């Protein structure tokens, strides 16, 4: 398919003025090539949208004026917004949201409260305080075998209570 008249005009403008225009805009944007290319593209797009502005006058000064105005607008726009911080600012933020963990902990505490006093006491001594079976037996004043069996049945009851609350698989 043959290019249309508009496409030919745009290609001719870019071929004749693209290089000098990009060099000019690079100086305006302090060497930011991506921004300079965007401004050149927008300048040529405006020339394509307003072909009447190019008739009867030199084209290059018009293109350079449009590009300069776009660069000034972009600069003002960046100054009016807060500066972008990049990845370093994200590293300074807290690692994660602990609200899920807090809610889970709260649910486990509620499930523990629903257990019998004997089951709750055994779990607190063995799991939360980290005591051995013999130490828990001494603290609770019950035989070690009773600590073992209560721990077994307390864990089953706790698992059931957590499943009812949607926490256990």
């Amino acid at each position: 398919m043959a290019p249309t008249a508009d496409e030919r005009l745009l290609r001719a403008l870019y071929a004749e003025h693209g290089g000098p225009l990009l060099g000019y805009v690079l100086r305006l944007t302090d060497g930011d090539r991506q921004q300079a290319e965007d401004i050149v593209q927008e300048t040529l797009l405006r020339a394509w949208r307003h072909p009447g502005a190019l008739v009867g006058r030199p084209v290059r000064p018009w293109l350079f004026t449009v590009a300069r105005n776009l660069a000034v607008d972009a600069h003002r726009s960046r100054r009016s917004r807060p500066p972008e911080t990049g990845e370093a600012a994200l590293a300074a933020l807290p690692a994660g949201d602990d609200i899920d963990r807090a809610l889970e902990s709260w649910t486990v505490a509620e499930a523990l409260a629903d257990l019998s006093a004997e089951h709750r006491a055994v779990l607190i001594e063995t799991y939360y305080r980290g005591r051995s079976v013999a130490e828990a037996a001494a603290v609770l004043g019950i035989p070690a075998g009773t600590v073992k069996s209560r721990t077994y049945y307390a864990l089953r009851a706790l698992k059931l209570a957590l499943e009812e609350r949607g926490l256990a698989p």
Side-chain angles (χ1 to χ4, degrees):
M1 186 166 125
T4 65
D6 289 342
E7 289 175 349
R8 285 193 304 270
L9 169 69
L10 204 52
R11 287 180 187 191
L13 282 175
Y14 184 76
E16 186 176 345
H17 306 289
L21 188 59
L22 181 61
Y24 174 68
V25 177
L26 274 170
R27 287 189 300 277
L28 292 176
T29 60
D30 295 325
D32 185 348
R33 185 163 186 90
Q34 181 65 46
Q35 185 183 13
E37 288 175 354
D38 289 345
I39 290 172
V40 168
Q41 182 178 7
E42 180 65 26
T43 301
L44 292 174
L45 182 66
R46 290 189 182 190
W48 174 69
R49 285 184 182 157
H50 307 287
L54 304 175
V55 176
R57 66 168 56 163
V59 175
R60 189 170 285 189
W62 185 89
L63 291 173
F64 276 57
T65 301
V66 170
R68 181 185 176 286
N69 291 341
L70 288 171
V72 168
D73 289 347
H75 177 73
R76 287 179 182 159
S77 175
R78 276 192 319 277
R79 285 184 49 212
S80 69
R81 291 184 311 224
E84 295 176 6
T85 57
E87 296 292 323
L90 293 176
L93 293 175
D97 188 8
D98 290 335
I99 192 71
D100 289 335
R101 190 167 184 202
L103 290 173
E104 194 173 281
S105 177
W106 194 356
T107 305
V108 170
E110 286 178 344
L112 273 172
D114 287 348
L115 298 179
S116 68
E118 293 84 13
H119 286 164
R120 186 173 45 253
V122 167
L123 288 180
I124 289 173
E125 293 301 323
T126 56
Y127 283 92
Y128 286 98
R129 294 194 176 133
R131 294 196 167 119
S132 68
V133 172
E135 292 170 338
V139 169
L140 295 172
I142 56 176
T146 305
V147 170
K148 287 181 184 180
S149 66
R150 281 189 188 170
T151 302
Y152 174 78
Y153 289 108
L155 287 173
R156 286 182 57 186
L158 182 62
K159 181 182 178 192
L160 181 62
L162 291 173
E163 284 175 350
E164 289 173 354
R165 289 170 171 78
L167 275 184

